[in-house]
Structure formats: structure tokens, C-alpha cells
Amino acid sequence: MTDHPLKPETKAKLEQVSVATLATALYKRGLRNQVIQDVHPVSRKGKNMIGPAFTLRYMPAREDRNQLVEFRDPEHPQRKAIEDCPPGYVLVMDSRKSAYAASAGDILITRLMVRGGAGVVTDGGFRDAMNVAEMEMPAYHNRPSSPTNLTTNEAIDINVPIGCGDAPVFPDDIVVGDDDSIIVIPAHLADEIADEAIEMTAYEDFVIEQVQGGATIIGLYPATKDENLKKFAAWRKANNR
């Protein structure tokens, strides 16, 4: 793991763009499955969650290995992931797309938040989700889930490549979540994707204004008429964009 996989200026740009815009930028590069599917914000935060990925992988639980006594082990991977996730990172959990048992609850997630975590994501569910929703730190899951993770899942590995909601997630990939969904940007593409998304967002904001004013989308979105590009250039100058 690198010490600082996300540049501050790149993070600042990613704060200003939507997951949908980032998905289009990645699509242009042939990356079509980077959005984490069937995972939603526990509560809307009105701002983006951004951070490098720190991962936890679950596997199907075998009953003799998954009794409550397992939590007494200080090296238990679920507990250890909470304690080892670096400040500013997003903890991303591969819970086998199963919310039959919880990936974590409000106590562990509070600990992650106090330690400086940027967010938490699972393709399973959280227990005590009503409390998680009240936290300042963003959290994303499939749905609330009350049974302990030991019921069907065993936390087995930390900070390895995983799948989360059918998206590939490698340690240090950049995770961006808004009030709709979450996307995973390969770490080596983060800077250029952020730059492109800023440009795309400026044009999209211009288009919204034009459409609200009665303009047709033909020739405007996408921009196939030079007159719209001239209008956009004037709009950028007037709006300092």
C-alpha cells in the first residue's frame, strides 16, 4: 500500500462530480463494470464520499469456525480490518452480495469513524442501520440486516483484491460515492478521470441551464453544433468555470 495514493487536488476535483459522470469517463476507456451494484447510501449526506479502498473479504461461514467465541480473538479479521483501515480510507467489504447476515454494526462503524475512516461500503447489510444513518461518516449497503455476520459469513482476508456488488476492487483504488451510488476508479487512472469529469460536469451544468430555458437537446447534448460550443465558452467565462 502506498502512503498517499490520492492527491489532495484530485480529491478536491472528485468532490465536485457525480458517480454517473465518472462512469461515463471510465466507459470511454472501456471500463464498464466499475459501479458497485445493488448498494445504496444508508442515508443521504449531500456530499461525496472519497478515499482509497481498504478491503475485507468474507466467505461462506462454516459452523464450527463461526461461534461467538471467535470475537474474542484480537486477530479476528473483521475487528482487525476496523482497527487497521488507515485514516482517510474507505473500508470496502465483499459480503458475497448477501444481506442475510450483517457485515458490521454501529459499534464497529463508530470505531472506524473515530479512527478517521472516509466511509464504509458493503454489498451485504448493516445491523443497527438506523444508528449508522445518523453518523457523519458515509455508509453504503444493500439493506438493513440484524443477524451477526457469523451466521452466514466468515471474515477471512484483509486488503486483498475483492468483488463488491460485482465491481472489482483492488487495494488503493479510489472509491467515490454520492447520494445515488458508488464507483471504483483504478488508482492509476484517478488523476486523469478527475480532470475529465470536471470538464464534463461544467458542460452538463451548462446543458441543464439551456434545457431549463427551453433549448432542445438535439445538437446540444452531445454538442454537435458549433453554436452550442460557442455559447458554452461564453458561459464558462461568465461563470468562472
Side-chain angles (χ1 to χ4, degrees):
M1 187 192 310
T2 56
D3 291 333
H4 302 287
L6 180 60
K7 296 177 182 176
E9 56 268 30
T10 299
K11 182 176 184 291
K13 291 170 185 172
L14 292 173
E15 289 171 348
Q16 304 172 55
V17 301
S18 71
V19 167
T21 297
L22 293 168
T24 299
L26 286 169
Y27 185 91
K28 292 177 181 177
R29 291 161 175 80
L31 297 171
R32 301 180 177 184
N33 295 288
Q34 298 302 118
V35 172
I36 296 178
Q37 298 296 323
D38 298 319
V39 174
H40 319 281
V42 179
S43 61
R44 296 169 63 93
K45 300 301 182 187
K47 61 181 181 180
N48 286 0
M49 171 189 73
I50 303 163
F54 186 87
T55 66
L56 171 65
R57 181 173 69 88
Y58 283 98
M59 66 174 284
R62 200 178 77 189
E63 288 80 359
D64 63 324
R65 291 174 53 92
N66 286 272
Q67 304 298 315
L68 284 173
V69 68
E70 306 302 334
F71 287 146
R72 294 179 176 272
D73 180 3
E75 295 299 307
H76 185 273
Q78 184 202 40
R79 267 54 179 174
K80 191 167 173 56
I82 295 292
E83 295 294 335
D84 288 358
C85 182
Y89 278 62
V90 176
L91 177 60
V92 184
M93 292 181 271
D94 172 1
S95 291
R96 306 190 303 117
K97 299 189 289 184
S98 172
Y100 280 88
S103 305
D106 61 345
I107 293 175
L108 270 63
I109 294 174
T110 297
R111 174 60 178 160
L112 180 68
M113 179 179 69
V114 169
R115 291 193 60 256
V120 60
V121 179
T122 178
D123 58 5
F126 293 129
R127 66 197 312 192
D128 316 305
M130 66 283 196
N131 296 331
V132 175
E134 298 297 322
M135 295 181 188
E136 182 178 348
M137 186 181 71
Y140 295 76
H141 70 170
N142 180 297
R143 61 170 173 82
S145 178
S146 292
T148 173
N149 66 284
L150 297 169
T151 308
T152 59
N153 280 342
E154 177 178 349
I156 196 68
D157 214 350
I158 296 174
N159 218 33
V160 295
I162 62 169
C164 184
D166 290 327
V169 186
F170 291 83
D172 287 349
D173 279 352
I174 305 305
V175 182
V176 182
D178 60 17
D179 283 338
D180 282 338
S181 55
I182 314 150
I183 196 163
V184 183
I185 305 172
H188 69 283
L189 292 176
D191 296 343
E192 65 180 81
I193 291 292
D195 288 342
E196 183 169 332
I198 283 287
E199 292 298 306
M200 291 170 65
T201 298
Y203 188 72
E204 288 165 359
D205 289 348
F206 163 74
V207 167
I208 286 288
E209 282 193 20
Q210 296 298 302
V211 172
Q212 287 173 339
T216 176
I217 60 169
I218 306 302
L220 173 65
Y221 189 70
T224 57
K225 291 185 177 179
D226 287 342
E227 64 188 77
N228 287 319
L229 293 175
K230 292 176 182 177
K231 287 181 182 178
F232 175 52
W235 179 90
R236 291 194 83 164
K237 187 174 181 180
N239 290 275
N240 195 30
R241 295 287 298 271

